[in-house]
Amino acid sequence: MRRVGRIGGSVVLGLFVFVGGGIGVFRRPLIDAPIARPAEAPGALLRPIGRGTTLAQAIASLQERLRTAPGDWRGLADLGLAYVQQARVTADPSFYPKAEGVLERSLQLQAGGNFEAMVGMGALGLARHDFSGALRWGERARALNPYNGNVYGVIGDAQVELGRYREAFGTVQTMVDTRPDLASYARVSYARELQGDVGGALAAMRTAEKAAGTPQDAAWASYQLGELYFASGRPARAEAAYRRGVELAPDYVPPHAGLAKVDWANGRAGRAIREYGWVVARFPSPEYVIALGDVYAKFGRPRLAERQYALVRVEERLFRANGVNVDLELALFDADHGRPTDALAAARAEWGRRHSINVADALGWALYANGRYREAAPYARAALALGTRNALFMFHAGMIQLRLGHRGAARELLSDALATNPHFSILWRSVARRTLVGLERRP
């Protein structure tokens, strides 16, 4: 499964079913089980800003307009949404308070009928991982305009993150019926991936790529294809998709990170480090900072690794200061990097707010890191309950079963993890291999 739960990442999308063209989400009846957070995809929350206009230029234009017309509540709403998007594309959470300020000002000027600002507040809530707040704003916006696809993206995302899955799938069905497009096909892809239908996920994402209206959108879809290929153990095909993304939009950073991941998987440590260094210098998302640190650690450069990990701590404080909840991401990071007590506290806090397979996995792994294996096992099972082919989840569950003395179950889970994606983790790949070899030698 594509890893999308990075610290501060904006999630302004849902899952949905496109019924008109024969692309559907469900390959089996929906079960009452947690679902992972949706993949990030291009959206159309802002009104068109002009062909060739960058986001920074659009923000500057809106700011100039508002200097001459400070009472333009629609312009304020557009600026708030642009700030949310700018935070996402720059990994700079200081744009979130700016977004909040202008969106609140828009609502003060036009409290009733201000659909744009309500959707903006919902998008901001999703970006800050305030999913209850996002849902409230989305429902208020829907009451004003039930025919806009964006509002169903906000509502559906929030429902998924909060664990309200049956409601979420109904919401996303409505969204697809309302607006089938690149983002719709991408969500179909993710929904299929969640249920273990990787072939269907790839097919839907190829359709999304064909529906892209700009090179940047096509690069995004190509990157997502690369992520699907890599997660299913096909690094050569992933590399081709990442390279296509780079060709389509050379300044779009994620495909470069994908190439760095492929270099690591193929044992090209020097190239991986250089590529991750290039990525972090331009887009210092904690996801990439951690990856660079882990590559340093695995290839015998611990001091450089610790510098990256220290940067993650600084970024954590920056995100929190700007209103972003990062408990889920920190739970996994701390469990993997020697802070088990902190990991468990963060995971428990997040589980108290919402139930998803990502949170279930993080809580199970944090309990494992604290030696509480029996408590960890139900959460590891919950993480896999939907049928998602996530090799990291399988590895976590396998190690927990091993500690409980269930060697057969551990062997099966670790074997599945490595068969699904033999390069599933920079830190844990070699551990999984060694452990599985030991289990196979000693029945």
Side-chain angles (χ1 to χ4, degrees):
M1 188 173 64
R2 286 160 278 180
R3 181 181 178 188
V4 292
R6 62 180 182 270
I7 297 176
S10 172
V11 184
V12 193
L13 309 173
L15 312 173
F16 34 82
V17 186
F18 177 53
V19 293
I23 293 181
V25 167
F26 303 111
R27 62 181 179 86
R28 61 174 181 270
L30 176 65
I31 58 173
D32 284 322
I35 304 176
R37 71 190 317 151
E40 188 176 300
L45 291 173
L46 281 169
R47 290 195 286 271
I49 59 178
R51 184 176 296 276
T53 302
T54 68
L55 185 58
Q57 289 169 337
I59 288 173
S61 177
L62 286 165
Q63 290 171 333
E64 179 62 28
R65 189 169 87 199
L66 288 164
R67 274 191 284 270
T68 59
D72 181 359
W73 55 272
R74 283 196 173 91
L76 286 163
D78 283 347
L79 182 58
L81 282 164
Y83 281 147
V84 173
Q85 180 76 350
Q86 188 75 334
R88 183 181 70 81
V89 301
T90 61
D92 181 358
S94 66
F95 283 99
Y96 292 139
K98 296 177 183 179
E100 184 177 21
V102 295
L103 289 168
E104 287 181 345
R105 176 61 178 157
S106 177
L107 287 164
Q108 288 169 1
L109 290 168
Q110 182 70 27
N114 195 341
F115 173 84
E116 293 88 344
M118 291 178 186
V119 172
M121 291 295 285
L124 177 62
L126 293 171
R128 283 174 155 174
H129 304 168
D130 174 15
F131 302 113
S132 295
L135 180 59
R136 288 193 296 272
W137 282 112
E139 289 175 339
R140 288 180 64 182
R142 178 175 57 183
L144 290 175
N145 184 357
Y147 305 107
N148 184 287
N150 292 318
V151 71
Y152 294 106
V154 171
I155 293 172
D157 287 356
Q159 288 170 334
V160 166
E161 296 287 356
L162 292 169
R164 296 166 61 170
Y165 304 111
R166 291 189 181 278
E167 294 175 61
F169 277 83
T171 298
V172 298
Q173 175 67 69
T174 303
M175 181 181 181
V176 176
D177 294 341
T178 303
R179 193 189 69 188
D181 58 6
L182 179 148
S184 300
Y185 298 125
R187 288 164 177 156
V188 170
S189 172
Y190 189 65
R192 288 176 169 178
E193 183 188 2
L194 285 173
Q195 298 173 89
D197 182 8
V198 177
L202 285 163
M205 188 56 69
R206 292 190 195 102
T207 304
E209 187 177 30
K210 292 176 183 176
T214 67
Q216 290 75 20
D217 283 351
W220 179 89
S222 188
Y223 168 70
Q224 294 298 326
L225 281 169
E227 293 289 272
L228 279 164
Y229 282 126
F230 193 91
S232 56
R234 289 173 275 186
R237 301 197 71 171
E239 182 175 10
Y242 294 142
R243 291 199 183 282
R244 187 164 62 253
V246 170
E247 291 168 2
L248 287 164
D251 293 333
Y252 179 48
V253 172
H256 293 274
L259 291 173
K261 185 163 54 178
V262 171
D263 284 333
W264 161 76
N266 290 327
R268 300 189 289 259
R271 286 177 57 175
I273 287 170
R274 287 193 298 274
E275 192 78 19
Y276 272 128
W278 185 94
V279 166
V280 167
R282 287 158 179 79
F283 187 71
S285 166
E287 175 185 0
Y288 302 142
V289 176
I290 293 169
L292 177 57
D294 289 348
V295 173
Y296 277 139
K298 294 303 290 184
F299 288 97
R301 303 170 77 173
R303 290 186 179 180
L304 292 174
E306 286 302 322
R307 289 183 188 176
Q308 301 306 313
Y309 300 152
L311 176 58
V312 174
R313 302 291 176 193
V314 173
E315 291 182 321
E316 172 223 333
R317 293 193 291 273
L318 177 63
F319 281 110
R320 287 196 187 280
N322 287 283
V324 182
N325 168 28
V326 294
D327 280 342
L328 172 60
E329 293 79 7
L330 283 177
L332 282 173
F333 178 68
D334 286 337
D336 283 344
H337 297 87
R339 295 191 179 187
T341 302
D342 292 342
L344 185 54
R348 285 198 186 284
E350 194 64 12
W351 187 255
R353 286 185 284 268
R354 59 193 180 102
H355 297 174
S356 74
I357 59 174
N358 280 329
V359 181
D361 171 71
L363 181 51
W365 192 236
L367 287 162
Y368 172 92
N370 284 271
R372 300 166 69 165
Y373 311 122
R374 196 166 299 281
E375 292 177 66
Y379 295 104
R381 287 194 295 272
L384 293 167
L386 201 63
T388 309
R389 302 297 297 167
N390 186 314
L392 184 64
F393 289 3
M394 296 172 192
F395 168 75
H396 289 165
M399 296 302 288
I400 290 167
Q401 289 299 312
L402 180 62
R403 290 295 187 179
L404 290 172
H406 305 155
R407 296 173 63 86
R411 183 168 59 249
E412 181 178 352
L413 284 161
L414 294 176
S415 179
D416 282 351
L418 291 168
T420 298
N421 180 10
H423 313 293
F424 69 92
S425 168
I426 295 171
L427 283 182
W428 299 112
R429 176 181 67 176
S430 58
V431 174
R433 289 174 175 174
R434 289 196 305 269
T435 305
L436 183 59
V437 168
L439 287 168
E440 290 173 342
R441 287 176 178 170
R442 294 180 55 202

